[in-house]
Amino acid sequence: MATFQLRPRSNVANVYLFRATGQEVDLMSHQDRLTAVENLVQEAVWLPAVGDRGALRRAAGLTQQQVALAVGVGRVQVARWETGTAEPRGVRRKAYGHLLRSLTQPPATSTNS
C-alpha cells in the first residue's frame, strides 16, 4: 500500500509534493510556476562584480562616505562591500544595488530648445 506524505516546498505558498512510492509529483501549475519565478526575480537584488563596485562609485565622483551615508552604514562597511570581504544584506543590499545599477546607466540629458 502506497503512503502519501504532504509537505510544504520551499517558501512558495500552497505548493506541495505528494510522495508516493518514491516519486514526487509537483502540483504547481504552469502559471503558478511563472508567477513564482517572477516573484523571485522581483526580490533578487543584482550587484556588480566586486571589482566593479568601487570603480562605478569613483567614475561617478562619489566617495565611500557619501555612499555610506546614503545607504545607512559606515564608510568601512562600503569599503568591505567593494573589496568583497562582506556583502550587503536586506534593505541595505536593495539600496546599494539600486545605487550601483543607477551608476551603470548614462545620466538623462535634458533636451531644452
Side-chain angles (χ1 to χ4, degrees), residues 34-112:
L34 292 176
T35 300
V37 168
E38 186 59 34
N39 290 339
L40 188 60
V41 167
Q42 293 295 325
E43 292 174 16
V45 179
W46 169 87
L47 292 178
V50 169
D52 296 336
R53 296 173 188 177
L56 284 167
R57 175 188 52 76
R58 287 187 299 275
L62 300 174
T63 66
Q64 288 179 337
Q65 185 64 36
Q66 288 172 311
V67 172
L69 287 171
V71 176
V73 297
R75 185 204 60 77
V76 172
Q77 192 62 40
V78 172
R80 290 178 181 148
W81 294 344
E82 290 181 355
T83 60
T85 57
E87 284 292 318
R89 293 197 168 99
V91 177
R92 290 184 174 97
R93 183 178 180 91
K94 288 182 181 181
Y96 187 57
H98 177 71
L99 171 76
L100 295 176
R101 264 191 316 282
S102 298
L103 295 178
T104 64
Q105 300 176 16
T109 56
S110 177
T111 55
N112 293 341

Side-chain angles (χ1 to χ4, degrees), residues 4-26:
F4 292 91
Q5 180 182 21
L6 192 62
R7 62 183 172 92
R9 180 176 182 185
S10 70
N11 294 335
V12 181
N14 300 323
V15 177
Y16 294 94
L17 297 177
F18 282 102
R19 183 176 293 268
T21 64
Q23 292 187 352
E24 294 182 345
V25 179
D26 195 340

